[in-house]
């Protein structure tokens, strides 16, 4: 009877409780700490996803990554939510979210919180998962940091360049550097930082593509500045933060099929915080102003995206908590304005949202959370909801589940299609077309995940998971790329097929074990496959590998020295869009990406009592083919060298 | 392991075998990390891979290095300067510089002798004496890794003479595998306190 009662509780919210519910035991949450980032020799913000258990990624240029969080999307639809210290950053544009535009440096990160289950977080329904960067809170007084990172991909010609075995030069990576200064006082702190990242398109295939519109300049340059002021009041806290990023890059516009030189710029200024009204009642607030620009960088056809999306957003949320439950409800507001010399039919639009969450923890063994969000635009509305449960069956076994249903309209994101529907048309200039077949409707998604965790002691944990996704009423973009031998680029009209559906099942295994105090290892295996659906959707989903396996070994014999190794296996993927181009382009491009196996090895050493940190990372140690996209780079063995300085006690 | 060629399996096996050998070495004196410094120089000659050797003669090299006892074995760093003279008039001479870090073991043997084996990896830069190309293209850098083995004998106080050989693989698109043989001198002394402080 007791067990039956617990099962009933597992599916129903109960407000009789003994412990304040916390996100710590929410299913689908992973925390990556700064020491994990250091052990792995992470070089930039986008690389964080390489340590995420349930994030798959693909890359064209090796530096930016298209991600698929927990099979909530494939690599086309980029709808992950990004936050820095509770402030949401909408960096996406045209189905692309370049995480490196986030204006903070890896050196500033305290920990990264990754949510892989759809739910409401700070007034946003995270349909595509959440990557939340928490920066380090400065110690009292003045502190500062500086770092420099250089890399080199192997495969240069060397003396062979003077022989008949000459090959192209695949030069350096970086340098990346960042500097920052902080001041911490009793009730407030301030932070300021700057980062610069230079990269070079050196892969021969990418250089051929980029050369189509580019005047012999293969360098990209990213500059970011970020600052924050945090004040703790007697009645709560306030953080004012903001950042500016400019990025001269080669933007891969999938719908066009090639890279276009662009000058990207992103800026944001925001305020967020909490006011404690009563012992159990508080108000959370957030407001931000941001600009997201795609401007002209010198190119052969004088092409200019000429788009600046200005956004003003605000969230007001009331929170009631007691020892048993946390209830919150709030309102959200987003107003967008598109500035361009081009004709855009709809330049201004706004959205309002209403959201509520209830989390209960009636005793130490049971947690349940229910979220709801209703979003209203002038032209559409959508409903989103989720439920998560955690049941600690005993001190060793935990059973969790997460369910969600959400609707999504094209107008909710910064996809290429949403701008096309607002009348932003660049297709004639790019000599291609966008063809909508039928009447698109709002997408609907049902997700269900279950987790079973066994933790016999503090040294070992094993988690088994299973998942189900049902995407229906989806609009799927499809292209059949042709290859232009003259220009070395791909081209194809885009066809949008509405009413597509797909069912996905998934399974996973995660094992964490501390073998010795100095030695730990981790195994992550994930499987996913489409079990039914319409033909177009099933074909496009094949870009996501069915199997992925990561094994990490972390050996830290002493506090100041460590060795870290990662073995990664990804099964094959099929990119049907490139099927015909594959036949036309010969052996250079293959629409079936072969299984990849790579080993990374990282050495780290602290000097001067943790003032100086040095890291050597060898990526793809055995120099095996590592390719993610038919038209993307093929990684060879690459070495990275990092030096970080942390000055934690500068005299005032 | 199934994915690795045989030589890579050997490399992985070797990585585990080398530390294990330490337990069987009867005279290995345990030193605390960074408690001593060995400074050495050596010089010698060698040979590039067969294809490169057709066009360039490795005419000699000189090397300077430092070594410290580590938590296990020894770590070191060094710089080797290598001259490569062209055998034909249409190809430029080039100088190479291998700046490396290394890790290995030293096994004490009777008669004040020792045998050492170490891995090395680092940056192998090549500067071509070619005025026909852009200044930026005169120098090219590449990752390189290899092993160094050798014997040494204590001849006076803390001074050792050594004979050794190195194998270095340079990861250019078409690999260049270099073999170097060398002879040299080294001097070992107790690390000053400030130096130990740095490594903490």
């Amino acid at each position: 009877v007791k067990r039956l009662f617990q099962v009933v509780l597992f599916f129903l919210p109960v407000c009789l409780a003994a412990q304040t519910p916390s996100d710590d035991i929410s299913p689908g949450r992973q925390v990556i700490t700064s020491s994990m980032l250091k052990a792995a020799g992470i070089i930039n913000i986008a690389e964080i996803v390489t340590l995420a258990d349930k994030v798959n990624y693909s890359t064209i240029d090796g530096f930016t990554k298209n991600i698929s969080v927990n099979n909530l999307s494939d690599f086309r639809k980029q709808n992950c939510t990004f936050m820095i210290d509770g402030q949401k950053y909408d960096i996406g544009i045209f189905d692309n979210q370049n995480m490196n535009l986030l204006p903070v440096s890896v050196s500033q990160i305290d920990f990264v919180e990754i949510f892989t289950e759809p739910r409401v977080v700070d007034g946003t329904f995270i349909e595509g998962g959440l990557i939340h960067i928490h920066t380090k809170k400065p110690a009292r007084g003045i502190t500062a940091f500086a770092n420099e990172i250089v890399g080199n991909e192997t495969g240069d010609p060397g003396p062979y360049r003077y022989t008949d075995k000459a090959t192209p030069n695949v030069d350096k990576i970086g340098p990346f550097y960042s500097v920052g200064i902080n001041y911490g006082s009793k009730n407030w702190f301030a932070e300021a930082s700057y980062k610069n990242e230079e990269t070079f398109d050196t892969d021969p295939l990418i250089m051929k593509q980029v050369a189509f519109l580019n005047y012999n300049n293969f360098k990209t340059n990213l500059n970011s500045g970020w600052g924050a002021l945090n004040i703790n009041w007697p009645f709560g806290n306030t953080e004012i933060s903001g950042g500016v990023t400019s990025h001269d890059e080669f933007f891969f516009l999938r719908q066009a099929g090639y890279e276009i030189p662009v000058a990207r710029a992103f800026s944001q200024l925001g305020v967020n915080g909490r006011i404690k009204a009563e012992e159990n009642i508080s108000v959370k607030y957030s407001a931000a102003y941001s600009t997201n620009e795609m401007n002209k960088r010198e190119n052969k056809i004088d092409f200019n995206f000429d788009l600046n999306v200005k956004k003003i957003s605000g969230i007001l949320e009331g929170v009631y908590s007691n020892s048993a439950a946390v209830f919150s409800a709030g309102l959200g507001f987003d107003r967008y304005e598109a500035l361009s010399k081009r004709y855009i039919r709809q330049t201004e639009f706004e959205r309002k949202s209403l959201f509520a969450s209830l989390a209960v923890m009636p005793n130490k063994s049971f947690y349940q959370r229910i979220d709801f969000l209703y979003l209203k635009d002038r032209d559409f509305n959508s409903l989103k909801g989720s439920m998560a449960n955690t049941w600690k069956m005993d001190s060793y076994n935990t059973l969790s589940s997460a369910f969600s249903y959400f609707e999504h309209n094209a107008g909710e994101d910064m996809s290429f299609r949403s701008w096309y529907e607002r009348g932003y048309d660049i297709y004639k200039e790019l000599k291609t077309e966008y063809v909508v077949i039928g009447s698109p409707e709002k997408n609907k998604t049902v997700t269900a995940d279950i987790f079973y965790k066994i933790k016999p002691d503090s040294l070992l944990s094993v988690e088994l998971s299973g998942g189900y996704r049902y995407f229906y009423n989806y609009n799927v973009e499809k292209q059949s790329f042709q290859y232009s031998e003259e220009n070395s680029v791909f081209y194809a009209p885009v066809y949008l097929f509405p009413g597509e559906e797909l069912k996905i099942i998934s399974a996973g295994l995660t094992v964490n074990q501390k073998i010795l105090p100095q030695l730990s290892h981790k195994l992550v295996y994930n499987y996913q496959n489409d079990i039914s659906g319409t033909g177009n959707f099933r074909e496009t989903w094949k870009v996501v590998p069915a199997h992925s396996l990561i094994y990490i070994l972390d050996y830290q014999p002493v506090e100041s020295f460590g060795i870290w190794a990662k073995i990664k296996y990804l099964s094959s993927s099929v990119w049907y869009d490139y099927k015909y181009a594959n036949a036309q382009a010969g052996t250079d491009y293959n629409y079936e990406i072969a299984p990849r196996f790579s080993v990374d090895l990282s050495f780290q050493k602290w000097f001067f009592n943790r003032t100086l940190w040095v890291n050597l990372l060898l990526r793809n140690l055995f120099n095996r083919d590592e390719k993610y996209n038919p038209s993307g780079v093929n990684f060879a063995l690459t070495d990275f060298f990092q030096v970080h300085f942390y000055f934690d006690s500068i005299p005032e | 392991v199934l994915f690795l060629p045989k030589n890579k399996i050997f490399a992985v096996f070797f990585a585990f075998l080398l530390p294990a050998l330490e337990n069987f070495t009867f005279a290995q004196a345990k030193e605390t990390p960074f408690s001593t410094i060995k400074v050495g120089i050596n010089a010698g000659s060698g040979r590039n891979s067969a294809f490169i050797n057709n066009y360039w003669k490795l005419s000699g090299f000189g090397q300077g290095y430092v070594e410290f006892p580590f938590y296990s074995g020894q770590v070191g760093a060094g710089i080797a300067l290598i001259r490569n003279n062209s055998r034909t008039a249409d190809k430029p001479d080039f100088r190479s510089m291998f700046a490396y870090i290394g890790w290995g073991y030293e096994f004490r043997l009777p008669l004040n002798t020792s045998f050492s084996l170490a891995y090395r990896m680092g940056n192998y830069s090549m500067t071509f004496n070619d005025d026909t190309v852009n200044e930026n293209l005169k120098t090219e850098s590449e990752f390189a890794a290899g092993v160094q083995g050798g014997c040494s004998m204590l001849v006076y106080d803390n001074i050792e003479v050594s004979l050794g050989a190195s194998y270095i693989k340079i990861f250019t698109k078409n690999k260049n595998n270099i073999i170097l043989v060398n002879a040299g001198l080294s001097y070992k002394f107790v690390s000053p306190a400030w130096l130990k402080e740095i490594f903490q």
Side-chain angles (χ1 to χ4, degrees):
Chain A
V1 172
K2 186 184 169 190
R3 289 275 160 178
L4 184 65
F5 184 59
Q6 283 176 323
V7 170
V8 172
L9 283 183
F10 190 68
F11 291 103
L12 290 172
V14 178
C15 299
L16 311 163
Q19 189 158 335
T20 305
S22 154
D23 273 346
D24 294 354
I25 56 168
S26 182
R29 176 178 178 266
Q30 183 190 0
V31 172
I32 298 171
T33 61
S34 99
S35 61
M36 291 175 189
L37 297 173
K38 281 207 156 44
I42 294 299
I43 59 164
N44 63 15
I45 298 292
E47 294 258 308
I48 292 168
V49 299
T50 63
L51 297 181
D53 293 346
K54 289 199 178 282
V55 179
N56 229 315
Y57 62 88
S58 169
T59 178
I60 285 274
D61 59 13
F63 302 104
T64 57
K65 290 178 172 61
N66 283 0
I67 59 176
S68 162
V69 179
N70 198 16
N71 303 313
L72 293 168
S73 72
D74 63 11
F75 302 131
R76 291 157 173 265
K77 189 175 177 180
Q78 292 301 290
N79 59 349
C80 185
T81 303
F82 299 103
M83 286 185 179
I84 301 172
D85 294 337
Q87 191 70 240
K88 185 179 162 190
Y89 279 72
D90 274 335
I91 51 173
I93 199 157
F94 300 147
D95 309 289
N96 176 293
Q97 291 180 319
N98 180 357
M99 283 176 70
N100 295 324
L101 295 179
L102 294 171
V104 291
S105 152
V106 175
S107 291
Q108 289 170 278
I109 296 175
D110 185 16
F111 66 96
V112 182
E113 207 177 10
I114 299 177
F115 285 94
T116 58
E117 296 296 336
R119 52 168 278 189
V120 174
V121 177
D122 291 338
T124 300
F125 194 85
I126 51 166
E127 294 173 27
L130 166 70
I131 296 178
H132 190 172
I133 293 170
H134 297 263
T135 61
K136 292 172 186 166
K137 302 297 164 255
R140 294 285 287 271
I142 301 174
T143 55
F145 74 88
N147 68 41
E148 169 113 8
I149 303 164
V150 290
N152 179 54
E153 185 178 7
T154 60
D156 285 342
Y160 288 93
R161 74 191 199 191
Y162 294 101
T163 73
D164 55 5
K165 289 191 177 183
T167 53
N169 200 323
V170 286
D171 217 336
K172 61 178 182 174
I173 296 161
F176 297 174
Y177 71 87
S178 66
V179 291
I181 188 160
N182 313 309
Y183 182 80
S185 188
K186 187 182 172 188
N187 291 318
W188 65 277
F189 62 80
E191 301 166 274
S193 65
Y194 168 77
K195 74 171 176 182
N196 174 269
E197 295 178 0
E198 278 189 359
T199 59
F200 299 83
D201 280 342
T202 58
D203 187 280
L205 292 181
I206 292 287
M207 286 177 84
K208 274 161 68 179
Q209 288 161 212
V210 169
F212 175 47
L213 294 182
N214 177 36
Y215 285 116
N216 205 28
N217 173 11
F218 295 94
K219 188 167 90 171
T220 71
N221 191 5
L222 182 145
N223 290 284
S224 287
W226 186 78
L229 172 66
N230 188 302
I231 305 166
N232 284 317
W233 311 103
F235 52 84
N237 77 298
T238 300
E239 176 155 318
I240 301 165
S241 64
V244 180
T245 295
S246 69
H247 192 200
D248 287 346
E249 60 156 331
F250 307 105
F251 185 86
F252 178 74
L253 185 67
R254 176 175 51 80
Q255 291 83 356
Y258 48 81
E259 283 85 352
I260 299 170
V262 295
R264 286 275 277 128
F266 180 86
S267 64
Q268 177 155 323
L269 180 64
V271 58
N272 60 309
R274 180 188 283 261
I275 299 166
K276 197 169 177 182
E278 297 280 337
E279 188 58 36
N280 294 333
I281 298 172
S282 59
V283 176
K284 287 168 76 178
Y285 58 90
S286 171
Y289 169 78
S290 67
T291 62
N292 193 352
E293 297 177 55
M294 287 274 272
N295 295 319
K296 186 177 152 190
R297 187 183 183 190
E298 192 180 38
N299 64 82
K300 288 176 185 170
I301 58 170
D302 210 26
F303 180 77
N304 187 359
F305 279 96
D306 189 14
L307 182 64
N308 179 5
V309 183
K310 290 187 174 181
K311 180 185 172 192
I312 297 170
S313 60
I315 292 168
L316 197 63
E317 182 181 7
V319 182
Y320 169 81
S321 64
N322 62 24
S323 60
V326 177
F327 174 74
S328 64
L331 297 165
F333 170 81
D334 295 313
R335 185 174 191 283
Y336 296 84
E337 183 184 3
L339 302 177
S340 178
K341 291 191 183 73
R342 292 173 180 279
Y343 168 74
I344 301 176
R345 191 178 58 253
Q346 187 189 14
T347 55
E348 294 181 17
F349 47 99
E350 59 185 46
R351 283 177 219 146
K352 300 173 188 78
S353 60
L354 175 68
F355 60 90
S357 295
L358 173 66
V360 294
M361 200 157 178
N363 53 52
K364 283 185 178 176
S365 62
F366 183 74
Y367 164 88
Q368 186 169 60
R369 182 187 165 104
I370 293 177
D371 291 349
F372 157 85
L373 186 141
Y374 174 72
L375 190 141
K376 178 83 182 85
D377 185 282
R378 190 181 66 185
D379 302 322
F380 60 80
N381 58 65
S382 54
L383 194 63
K384 303 162 201 283
S386 69
M387 180 170 73
N389 314 281
T390 298
W391 175 25
K392 292 189 89 171
M393 301 160 79
D394 52 40
S395 50
Y396 309 121
N397 301 288
T398 305
L399 183 65
S400 305
S401 61
F403 307 93
S404 71
Y405 165 81
F406 51 89
E407 300 166 346
H408 183 93
N409 290 276
E412 290 179 42
D413 50 40
M414 291 289 125
S415 68
F416 201 92
R417 186 188 148 216
S418 67
W419 285 107
Y420 176 80
E421 290 189 349
R422 291 183 190 109
Y424 176 83
D425 186 1
I426 54 174
Y427 275 85
K428 288 187 191 78
E429 274 179 76
L430 296 175
K431 294 182 178 140
T432 182
E433 55 184 319
Y434 198 94
V435 183
V436 180
I437 298 170
S439 309
E441 292 179 32
K442 59 183 166 190
N443 305 164
K444 292 173 182 175
T445 306
V446 174
T447 73
D449 286 292
I450 191 154
F451 309 84
Y452 177 57
K453 189 171 185 177
I454 313 160
K455 201 168 188 303
D457 52 44
S458 62
L459 303 176
L460 174 68
S461 74
V462 179
E463 184 178 89
L464 294 161
S465 62
Y468 171 77
R469 306 277 177 272
Y470 179 35
F471 306 103
Y472 60 106
N473 266 5
Y474 260 65
N475 309 305
V476 173
E477 285 181 358
K478 229 180 149 209
Q479 288 172 276
S480 292
F481 284 121
Q482 307 290 308
Y483 181 68
S484 163
E485 205 164 348
E486 184 189 352
N487 302 317
S488 301
V489 292
F490 302 90
Y491 62 96
V494 185
Y495 291 95
L496 184 82
F497 295 93
E500 297 278 329
E501 66 172 64
L502 186 71
K503 289 177 183 168
I504 304 284
I505 55 162
S506 63
L509 168 70
T510 305
V511 181
N512 270 295
Q513 188 183 20
K514 209 168 183 67
I515 304 167
L516 297 167
Q518 309 87 352
L519 181 68
S520 61
H521 66 163
K522 178 180 184 178
L523 174 86
V524 181
Y525 167 74
N526 285 304
Y527 166 79
Q528 65 80 28
N529 203 4
D530 51 302
I531 50 170
S532 72
T534 48
N536 291 322
F537 209 159
R538 292 191 82 169
E539 275 195 1
T540 56
W541 191 267
K542 296 289 183 198
V543 300
V544 183
H547 303 269
S548 71
L549 180 81
I550 292 174
Y551 177 74
I552 292 172
L553 191 68
D554 190 1
Y555 178 52
Q556 196 158 359
V558 287
E559 203 182 337
S560 66
F561 174 72
I563 303 172
W564 178 96
K566 181 172 88 170
I567 300 169
K568 183 177 69 179
Y569 168 78
L570 289 176
S571 64
S572 61
S573 58
V574 185
W575 300 68
Y576 282 99
D577 283 1
Y578 292 87
K579 188 173 181 179
Y580 300 110
N582 184 189
Q584 294 158 357
T587 54
D588 276 355
Y589 302 96
N590 195 337
Y591 82 107
E592 286 190 69
I593 305 289
R596 285 145 280 177
F597 169 77
S598 64
V599 177
D600 299 343
L601 188 61
S602 165
F603 302 90
Q604 58 162 330
K605 175 83 181 90
W606 284 97
F607 297 91
F608 295 109
N609 290 312
R610 299 179 83 81
T611 300
L612 169 66
W613 179 80
V614 175
N615 174 263
L616 174 68
L617 169 67
L618 302 174
R619 182 166 295 157
N620 195 1
L621 187 65
F622 294 118
N623 205 15
R624 301 182 65 85
D625 285 348
E626 193 181 3
K627 201 172 174 64
Y628 285 83
N629 182 297
S631 65
V633 288
N634 192 7
F635 298 97
L637 165 62
T638 306
D639 57 285
F640 293 94
F641 185 68
Q642 299 191 45
V643 180
H644 294 212
F645 292 93
Y646 297 94
F647 305 104
D648 284 343
S649 55
I650 298 173
E652 290 183 42
Chain B
V1 169
L2 295 173
F3 295 93
L4 303 178
K6 274 184 183 165
N7 63 332
K8 309 258 167 83
I9 295 172
F10 176 73
V12 172
F13 178 71
F14 193 56
F16 290 100
L17 179 69
L18 194 55
L21 273 176
E22 186 188 32
N23 298 328
F24 298 100
T25 309
F26 51 87
Q28 173 85 339
K30 272 281 179 194
E31 294 177 302
T32 54
F34 306 105
S35 58
T36 61
I37 307 174
K38 184 193 273 188
V39 183
I41 50 166
N42 57 41
S45 190
R47 191 177 188 277
N48 284 301
S49 312
F51 184 85
I52 296 296
N53 192 53
N54 288 337
Y55 301 102
W56 288 275
K57 176 178 164 54
L58 196 158
S59 56
F61 81 98
Q63 179 176 244
Y65 62 90
V66 289
E67 284 177 8
F68 307 93
F70 202 48
Y71 305 103
S72 177
Q74 272 88 33
V75 287
I79 291 177
L81 299 168
I82 304 168
R83 282 192 68 85
N84 296 274
N85 293 332
S86 173
R87 296 181 194 273
T88 58
D90 63 331
K91 293 183 172 49
D93 297 341
F94 69 96
R95 284 173 288 116
S96 312
M97 185 175 81
F98 182 38
Y100 64 84
I101 53 170
W103 172 78
Y105 277 86
E106 185 178 46
F107 307 101
R108 291 281 169 205
L109 301 172
L111 304 173
N112 282 337
T113 59
S114 64
F115 169 72
S116 63
L117 197 55
Y119 302 100
R120 286 173 173 181
M121 63 176 120
N123 184 62
Y124 191 88
S125 67
M126 296 155 274
T127 303
F128 298 92
N129 188 20
D130 182 359
D131 294 330
T132 64
V133 297
N134 182 299
E135 195 64 33
N136 293 331
L137 294 173
K138 277 189 172 181
T139 301
E140 203 176 278
S141 284
E142 195 52 276
F143 177 73
V147 290
Q148 151 87 26
C151 293
S152 54
M153 178 182 269
L154 194 65
V155 289
Y156 177 77
D157 204 2
N158 287 325
I159 298 174
E160 287 182 333
V161 291
S162 62
L163 281 173
S166 307
Y167 171 82
I168 306 166
K169 182 186 277 268
I170 300 143
F171 284 76
T172 43
K173 182 74 177 175
N174 296 295
K175 306 287 180 293
N176 183 16
N177 303 320
I178 296 177
I179 292 171
L180 302 171
V181 289
N182 61 271
L185 284 172
S186 65
Y187 175 66
K188 189 174 177 179
F189 57 96
V190 175
S191 302
W194 60 265
L195 192 68
K196 282 187 249 182
E197 190 82 3
I198 288 174
F199 289 102
Q200 277 178 0

